[in-house]
Amino acid sequence: MSQDIYIVVEHLRGQVADISYVMLAAARELSKGTGGNVVAVLLGHEAQSLAGNLAADKVLYIDHPALADFSSDAYQKVLSVLISKEQPRVTLFGSTSIGTDIASVLSIRLGFPLVSSCRSFSTDGKFVSQICGGKIMAEGELPSPTALVTMVPGGYKPEQGQSAQAPAVTQVESPVLDALRVSLAKYIEPEAGDIDIAKEPILIAVGRGIQNQDNLELANSLAEALGGVVCGSRPVIDQGWLATSRLVGKSGKHVKPKIYLAMGISGAPEHTEAITDSDTIIAINTDPKAPIFNIAKYGTESDIFDLVEVLTNKVKEAKGG
Amino acid sequence: MPETILPNVTIYEKVLAATTHGERLKLCLQCGNCSGICPFGYLMVYPPSRLIAALRAGRFDKVLDTDALWMCVSCYACTAVCPAQIPLTPGLMTLTKEELLLAGNVPSELQSALENTQRYGNPQGESPRKRADWAADIQPEVKLLGKVRQPVDVLWFVGDYSSYHPRVQLISKALAKILSALKVDFGILGPEENSDGDSQRLAGERGLFEMLAEKNGKAFGKYQFNEIITTDPHAYNAIKNEYPALGINYPVRHYTEFLAERIDQLKPLLKTEVKAKVTYHDPCYLGRANGIFDQPRALLEVIPGVELVEMSHNHMNSLCCGGGGGGMWLDGFQWEKAHVRLSEWRVREAHAAGADVLAVACPYETPRFEDATKTVEGAGSLKVRDIAELLGEAMSI
Amino acid sequence: MNVAVLVKLVPDLVEELTVDASGVALDTAWLRLIINEFDDHAIEQGVLLKERSGCQLTIVAPDVEGVDDLLFTASAKGADKLIKIKGDFNGVNNHALARAAAAVIKELHPDLVITGVQANNDLDGSVGPLLAECLGMPYVGYVSGITLSEGKSRARKEYPGGLIAEMDVILPAVLGIQAAEQPPRYVAVSKVRQVMKTASIEEQSAPALEPSGGPTIGRMFQPEAAAHATMITGSADEVATKLVGIFKELGVL
C-alpha cells in the first residue's frame, strides 16, 4: 500500500498518446496532496525508449513479446499483478480505446473502486468528472484506500506532463502471458481517401458568407496554418465548392472538434444541431443577429475578407514559421 | 408457354382499403398527365403512371429496389390533373412510400425526422416541454389551455415549425398579436400539442400518424372550444380530412380563412402602408388540395400599399416549395439527385414576376424560400413574408 | 450460436437536466430516459449477425421507464427473445447493473455478448467490461465490426485517427460496440404495434443490487453556461491577435 499515483502509459505503434502526458500532469497534482510519487507504468516489447520524456518520478517497465501491441487480456494480467501487489493510492487510465478495455475489468477483478470520465482533480484531491454530454459535473472524494480512475482530456495540457529529463526506469518481471484470449491479428490503415471531418480536432467551416469558390483559398490557408481541415455548410457543398464528405449539418456529418471556426455561417438549426458537441465554437459573421452567436463561445463581427488573411499570418508567426 | 404475370394484387387492395375512391386506380388510362406535371417526375424512375404500369405488370418489387420515389413531395399536382380522378397522392404514392419504409428503404434524414416525431412529438427533436416557449413574452399573454382551464372560443393548433423554428416563430408571434388585436378569445395546447403528422403520413408512416392523432384527439377532448384554427395548411388538411375517420371531429379552418371572415374588423387596424409588389404562393395543401385560393389574396389586397401580382404558376397549378410528403427532411437526398430545388424554381418565378415580396401561408415555406433567395441570382433583395407578418407590419404590432 | 445484447436506458439530453434537492443526483421530475445510442448500435449489430449467421438473438434490459417499448422495437427488428430484469434500477450504478445482468445472462449460455462501449451517464466505468469480468469472459471495446466462427471471433477495434486493429477474441466474449456495421435501421410504428400483440417479454429477477465499486458523489452541478458569445471587437489586426491568444489558451497553438 502506498500513496503513489500510478498512470498507465498509452502508446500505439511507437507513439506515446497525449492522454498519457495529461495523466502525468494530473498525477503530479494529486501526488502533492498524497505525498507519494508519480509512477508511470509502461508495458511493451523493446519499448523502453518511450519513457524518455515522461514527467514521472519513476517508470516501471514491463517487457514481454506479447505486449508488443495492445491486448486487453495481456494488459489486464500484468496490471492486476502489479496493482494488487503495490496498491497505489490512485491508478490513472485513459478514457480511451486502450484504457477503457482495462480499468473496469480490474475494478471487478481486484475489488478496487473505479471513477470514470474524470476531467481533473480539485486542489483538495477530489475527482471532477463530466457526464451527460458535458451538461452535468460530478465531484467527490477519491475512494480509499485504492482508487482506479479513467481520465478524459481537457483538464490539463499535455506539455505539463512532459519532461526534458528522462526519468529513472525500473524493469519489472512480467507474469506469464500465454493462452491470451485477446490478441492482435493485424492493423488496417485508414483509407487514403478523403478526411473524416467527424474525427478532426480543428475545423474551419465556411458558409454562404464566403461568397464564391475563389475565396475558399482564404479558408484553406488558415486551415493549413492551424493544422485544421476545411468543411462547410449546405450552400457551399451545393455549389460544388467542397466535397459532400465535408458537409456539416443535418444532412451531413455531426462533428465534435476541439475548435469549430465558423466563417460566414449564419447558424440555422439544420447546421448548428451538428456542431453543438464542439468544445469551442468561434464565429465570424458580419450580422450581429446571426443565430450562430447564441451557441458560439467567442464571436466577432469582423469581415472575413479583412480578417482571415491577417489571422493566418499571425498563426504562422506564432508557430514560428 | 410464358408465365402468367399477375398484378401486385395486395398493393391494389391496400390502396382500395385505405383511400376514398381507391378503386379508381383500376381506371388509369396511362395518359401520363401525372408524370408530366410532376415537378420531379423526370427523376423519379417510377413516376405515378409508370408506377401503376409496374403494379399492373407485377413488377412492384422493382419499385422497392429504387430510392428515387423519395423525390415525391406529395404536392398533389398529379392528383389534380388525373382525368380518372385517381387519388394518386394520398393513395398510390403514400402507400408506395409505406412499402418502402417497411422494406427498410428510407433515407437517413427522413429516418431521423420520423424517429424524432415518434419520441418528441415533433420532427426537429426538440423537447416537448418547450413547445410554447415562443409565446412566453407576448403581451397580452397567450393562453395555455392546460394552465387557464377555462373554455375559449378558438383553439389555435400552432404546429411544429411554428413552435420551434426561430424564423417561423416570428410568424407565430405576429399571428398571436393579430388575434389579440381582433379580440379573439383563443388558446393553445403548448406541450400537449403533438405534430399533426400529415407530412409524416404522406411519407408512409400511417402508424405514426394515427398515434399522433390519438394523442391530439385526447388533448382536444380535455378542453372546451368552438373551433380549431391552424397556422399550417398541413395541420388543416389532417384535422379536416383525416381526423374524422379516426373519430376526431372538430370544425377547423386555416388562419387565412378565419381572418378573411373578419376582414371588415381588420381593415381599420391596417394603418401603416406596406408599399410593395407582392406575389402570393399558393401552398399545396391550402390551394390545390383544399381549394382555398381567394381568402389569402383578399387579406393581401386589403393591406394599404400592396400591389398583388401573380406568378406564372398560380392557383391550381402553383409550384410546390418542395417541403411536403417528407421533402422537408429529404433536402440532402433530393439535392444529390436533382441539383436543383423546387424552392429556387419558385423564387425565380417570383423574381420574374417583378415582386418585392413573396407572400406565403405555410410554415415550411418561409425558411425554404429565404434560403433560395440567397442562391438564386438576382433574387437577393426578394423578401419572403408570411401573410400574418405582412398584416402585422400594416398593424404596426 | 447464441448472442445476447445488454441494453441500458440513459438520461435523454434533449430535455433539460437539473440536479435535485439532495445535490448529488439528477432531478427525475422531468427526466426522460432514452435508449443508450451505443446500445442501439449493439442491437443493430446483433440483428446483422443474426441475418448473416442465423444465431439466436436475446435482448436484455433493466426494468426502467421505456423498457417495454425498447424491447418490442428490438423484436420488430428481428430479436428472438426479450428479457426484462426486474428490480429498482433507478439511479443504480454500472457495477450493480453488471452484476445483476451477469446473473441473468449467464443462464443464456451465450457465445457472444454485445453492449454499447459507453453511455452518457457512466461514472463508474462502462457496463460492458464490468459485465465481462463478472462473467469471466474476455473484453474488447470500441468495436465496429464482428465476424464469428467456431469458438472465436474477429473484432474490428477502432483507434484514433481511423486506425483499425483486427483482434482475435476467444469465445465466449463480451464486445463493446462503438458503431454497428450499418446505422440502426428504421422500424415503422405499425410494425412495432403489430409485434406488441405477438411478442412477449420474459421477466427475470436479479439478486439484490450490489453497487460497491462505484464512487460516492459529493456534489453534482451544472457547469456555467454562456448564453451568448463573448464578442471580440477592434480592427482586423486586433481581433486576429486576440484570436491567436484564444488558440493558445485552447492548446492548438
Side-chain angles (χ1 to χ4, degrees):
Chain A
M1 186 103 73
S2 78
Q3 290 303 305
D4 289 344
I5 313 293
Y6 276 37
I7 79 118
V8 177
V9 178
E10 297 199 1
H11 59 96
L12 197 56
R13 302 209 292 180
Q15 290 264 32
V16 174
D18 264 358
I19 190 69
S20 310
Y21 301 116
V22 168
M23 290 193 284
L24 284 167
R28 181 59 60 197
E29 287 292 306
L30 275 178
S31 69
K32 289 182 190 156
T34 69
N37 288 318
V38 171
V39 180
V41 180
L42 177 64
L43 276 59
H45 183 52
E46 290 162 1
Q48 196 156 336
S49 60
L50 295 178
N53 67 347
L54 302 174
D57 297 316
K58 77 171 189 244
V59 176
L60 296 178
Y61 174 58
I62 297 101
D63 191 307
H64 191 293
L67 295 172
D69 296 284
F70 175 72
S71 148
S72 51
D73 229 31
Y75 268 58
Q76 285 156 16
K77 280 194 167 150
V78 173
L79 292 170
S80 57
V81 168
L82 182 67
I83 297 175
S84 58
K85 175 165 177 252
E86 302 298 335
Q87 302 213 3
R89 178 67 185 88
V90 184
T91 307
L92 304 179
F93 301 81
S95 182
T96 64
S97 190
I98 289 176
T100 58
D101 266 16
I102 349 167
S104 298
V105 168
L106 291 175
S107 174
I108 299 278
R109 192 173 293 183
L110 304 176
F112 294 161
L114 170 64
V115 184
S116 58
S117 298
C118 177
R119 198 170 184 274
S120 63
F121 298 97
S122 65
T123 41
D124 55 346
K126 293 200 172 81
F127 69 83
V128 182
S129 290
Q130 64 183 33
I131 55 171
C132 295
K135 288 184 172 190
I136 298 283
M137 307 297 285
E139 187 192 78
E141 298 289 346
L142 274 170
S144 53
T146 22
L148 306 176
V149 179
T150 66
M151 288 199 72
V152 297
Y156 306 89
K157 297 207 193 341
E159 298 82 71
Q160 298 169 270
Q162 287 165 351
S163 160
Q165 264 182 307
V169 178
T170 308
Q171 188 147 353
V172 174
E173 204 184 309
S174 173
V176 171
L177 289 181
D178 40 73
L180 289 177
R181 301 171 299 176
V182 177
S183 54
L184 174 73
K186 66 178 196 272
Y187 287 113
I188 301 178
E189 300 295 333
E191 263 170 42
D194 197 34
I195 301 166
D196 182 1
I197 52 172
K199 301 198 163 114
E200 289 290 322
I202 302 174
L203 291 175
I204 313 292
V206 293
R208 226 180 297 263
I210 201 80
Q211 285 176 26
N212 65 51
Q213 188 164 19
D214 298 325
N215 294 331
L216 219 55
E217 243 327 285
L218 289 170
N220 287 333
S221 305
L222 178 57
E224 210 179 324
L226 260 180
V229 161
V230 174
C231 59
S233 60
R234 186 93 236 165
V236 172
I237 274 74
D238 284 353
Q239 301 282 67
W241 302 341
L242 282 177
T244 322
S245 57
R246 302 293 182 104
L247 172 63
V248 177
K250 186 182 196 68
S251 34
K253 296 216 165 122
H254 273 63
V255 296
K256 37 185 184 215
K258 218 169 160 187
I259 295 193
Y260 190 81
L261 184 61
M263 314 199 317
I265 291 179
S266 63
E270 293 73 29
H271 182 76
T272 55
E273 67 165 57
I275 65 176
T276 50
D277 287 337
S278 311
D279 280 354
T280 306
I281 299 171
I282 303 175
I284 307 175
N285 197 307
T286 49
D287 176 8
K289 292 216 186 99
I292 189 108
F293 290 127
N294 294 330
I295 60 162
K297 189 157 180 210
Y298 300 104
T300 174
E301 279 176 54
S302 299
D303 194 315
I304 317 173
F305 302 107
D306 295 330
L307 177 62
V308 179
E309 220 173 308
V310 176
L311 180 59
T312 306
N313 290 334
K314 286 195 189 277
V315 168
K316 283 187 189 156
E317 262 170 52
K319 281 199 160 172
Chain B
M1 195 58 193
E3 223 182 271
T4 316
I5 299 169
L6 296 167
N8 291 102
V9 179
T10 48
I11 302 293
Y12 268 150
E13 287 166 353
K14 275 187 183 175
V15 176
L16 248 76
T19 332
T20 324
H21 303 306
E23 69 284 354
R24 289 186 192 155
L25 194 67
K26 297 181 184 171
L27 302 175
C28 169
L29 25 112
Q30 290 283 288
C31 69
N33 273 7
C34 52
S35 304
I37 204 168
C38 172
F40 278 141
Y42 66 101
L43 287 167
M44 219 176 273
V45 184
Y46 288 97
S49 56
R50 194 154 185 253
L51 180 50
I52 295 176
L55 275 175
R56 288 175 174 176
R59 294 229 165 110
F60 194 69
D61 50 320
K62 291 221 183 293
V63 173
L64 294 182
D65 278 341
T66 163
D67 62 359
L69 225 106
W70 289 111
M71 296 305 292
C72 167
V73 290
S74 296
C75 74
Y76 252 76
C78 53
T79 315
V81 297
C82 175
Q85 295 179 306
I86 302 168
L88 292 165
T89 309
L92 181 69
M93 300 312 282
T94 303
L95 278 139
T96 306
K97 289 181 190 176
E98 237 176 83
E99 293 300 313
L100 285 170
L101 273 186
L102 286 170
N105 182 341
V106 46
S108 55
E109 281 170 82
L110 177 59
Q111 180 173 341
S112 309
L114 295 174
E115 284 170 346
N116 284 337
T117 308
Q118 198 186 332
R119 184 167 174 87
Y120 303 106
N122 64 78
Q124 301 105 313
E126 298 278 357
S127 164
R129 286 170 56 199
K130 299 195 177 146
R131 203 172 173 101
D133 282 7
W134 67 270
D137 298 324
I138 299 178
Q139 286 304 325
E141 208 178 294
V142 171
K143 283 187 195 164
L144 206 59
L145 291 172
K147 236 169 58 172
V148 304
R149 298 204 167 270
Q150 21 158 276
V152 292
D153 193 27
V154 174
L155 187 154
W156 174 17
F157 190 91
V158 182
D160 306 315
Y161 286 85
S162 307
S163 301
Y164 294 112
H165 194 290
R167 174 62 184 92
V168 189
Q169 283 176 342
L170 300 177
I171 301 169
S172 310
K173 292 185 196 199
L175 185 55
K177 293 188 187 156
I178 295 170
L179 292 173
S180 294
L182 291 174
K183 311 241 187 299
V184 175
D185 178 21
F186 72 96
I188 65 172
L189 287 170
E192 291 184 279
E193 184 186 281
N194 276 271
S195 177
D196 54 88
D198 213 41
S199 294
Q200 291 88 328
R201 171 182 69 89
L202 291 160
E205 252 291 10
R206 179 84 207 169
L208 177 58
F209 176 75
E210 289 181 358
M211 188 182 94
L212 295 164
E214 221 177 281
K215 290 187 179 171
N216 281 328
K218 275 207 185 101
F220 294 156
K222 280 167 74 174
Y223 304 109
Q224 284 176 283
F225 50 90
N226 295 318
E227 65 171 310
I228 298 178
I229 65 169
T230 75
T231 340
D232 188 347
H234 298 275
Y236 170 70
N237 188 62
I239 300 174
K240 176 155 186 272
N241 299 320
E242 300 291 326
Y243 275 28
L246 298 170
I248 305 164
N249 257 298
Y250 293 92
V252 61
R253 283 190 288 176
H254 185 253
Y255 87 84
T256 51
E257 286 183 283
F258 184 82
L259 292 182
E261 198 180 68
R262 287 160 177 70
I263 218 163
D264 292 328
Q265 233 189 304
L266 205 47
K267 259 201 225 161
L269 302 173
L270 305 171
K271 299 202 182 102
T272 311
E273 213 194 26
V274 178
K275 196 157 175 62
K277 260 198 181 136
V278 177
T279 189
Y280 171 65
H281 163 82
D282 291 283
C284 303
Y285 279 81
L286 198 57
R288 198 164 27 242
N290 283 291
I292 296 170
F293 303 104
D294 300 328
Q295 293 94 319
R297 286 177 169 80
L299 289 171
L300 289 168
E301 281 177 326
V302 102
I303 299 175
V306 164
E307 187 196 328
L308 208 55
V309 298
E310 294 288 351
M311 290 182 272
S312 39
H313 287 87
N314 59 74
H315 289 77
M316 209 48 183
N317 68 1
S318 168
L319 279 179
C320 181
C321 74
M328 210 54 182
W329 316 299
L330 285 167
D331 189 74
F333 172 86
Q334 292 183 342
W335 170 261
E336 281 303 309
K337 290 215 186 283
H339 285 277
V340 68
R341 287 196 178 87
L342 298 184
S343 51
E344 289 161 5
W345 194 351
R346 194 56 157 159
V347 160
R348 227 169 267 139
E349 276 207 351
H351 180 57
D356 304 306
V357 177
L358 171 55
V360 298
C362 170
Y364 288 177
E365 292 162 356
T366 319
R368 295 185 75 79
F369 287 144
E370 277 187 352
D371 277 352
T373 59
K374 294 173 193 167
T375 50
V376 170
E377 232 175 284
S381 56
L382 178 70
K383 291 207 191 100
V384 181
R385 295 282 184 273
D386 191 284
I387 293 180
E389 290 182 296
L390 291 169
L391 288 171
E393 234 178 277
M395 288 164 73
S396 293
I397 49 170
Chain C
M1 272 235 176
N2 242 323
V3 177
V5 184
L6 176 61
V7 178
K8 220 171 81 146
L9 286 111
V10 297
D12 188 343
L13 302 183
V14 163
E15 304 292 348
E16 248 169 65
L17 299 174
T18 46
V19 180
D20 72 11
S22 74
V24 297
L26 288 175
D27 193 333
T28 53
W30 294 112
L31 193 68
R32 281 188 72 190
L33 296 178
I34 192 172
I35 185 174
N36 173 21
E37 185 195 334
F38 295 98
D39 290 338
D40 204 13
H41 277 262
I43 293 177
E44 179 64 28
Q45 185 64 52
V47 176
L48 290 170
L49 287 171
K50 181 185 154 140
E51 287 174 346
R52 284 206 299 253
S53 43
C55 58
Q56 162 96 327
L57 183 64
T58 306
I59 315 293
V60 181
D63 187 9
V64 292
E65 173 229 321
V67 68
D68 283 8
D69 232 29
L70 178 161
L71 290 170
F72 285 127
T73 305
S75 176
K77 291 184 183 182
D80 299 297
K81 202 161 151 182
L82 312 169
I83 299 179
K84 179 162 57 172
I85 314 178
K86 297 294 285 175
D88 183 11
F89 284 93
N90 284 304
V92 138
N93 69 19
N94 285 334
H95 279 67
L97 175 58
R99 290 178 181 120
V104 168
I105 291 175
K106 201 171 58 177
E107 299 307 315
L108 299 171
H109 305 290
D111 298 286
L112 177 68
V113 181
I114 51 181
T115 186
V117 69
Q118 63 196 42
N120 72 21
N121 63 351
D122 288 344
L123 208 47
D124 62 327
S126 21
V127 78
L130 293 168
L131 175 68
E133 189 62 11
C134 290
L135 291 170
M137 295 182 188
Y139 175 79
V140 175
Y142 285 82
V143 172
S144 58
I146 305 174
T147 357
L148 297 175
S149 50
E150 206 50 54
K152 69 174 190 212
S153 65
R154 185 57 81 85
R156 285 169 65 99
K157 180 180 174 63
E158 288 193 355
Y159 283 122
L163 178 69
I164 307 272
E166 285 205 345
M167 310 292 279
D168 278 325
V169 188
I170 306 289
L171 297 179
V174 177
L175 297 177
I177 303 297
Q178 165 74 17
E181 287 161 46
Q182 75 187 32
R185 65 196 61 193
Y186 184 71
V187 194
V189 170
S190 52
K191 206 163 174 202
V192 178
R193 288 189 148 181
Q194 226 178 356
V195 149
M196 280 180 177
K197 298 184 191 144
T198 52
S200 59
I201 298 176
E202 211 181 292
E203 293 186 358
Q204 285 196 29
S205 302
L209 295 174
E210 172 47 73
S212 67
T216 308
I217 301 170
R219 182 171 81 107
M220 208 177 243
F221 56 98
Q222 288 166 287
E224 267 165 46
H228 192 275
T230 305
M231 295 307 278
I232 305 168
T233 52
S235 66
D237 205 81
E238 288 165 349
V239 173
T241 307
K242 289 192 192 144
L243 283 175
V244 167
I246 291 171
F247 292 153
K248 284 189 175 157
E249 249 176 64
L250 294 172
V252 296
L253 265 189

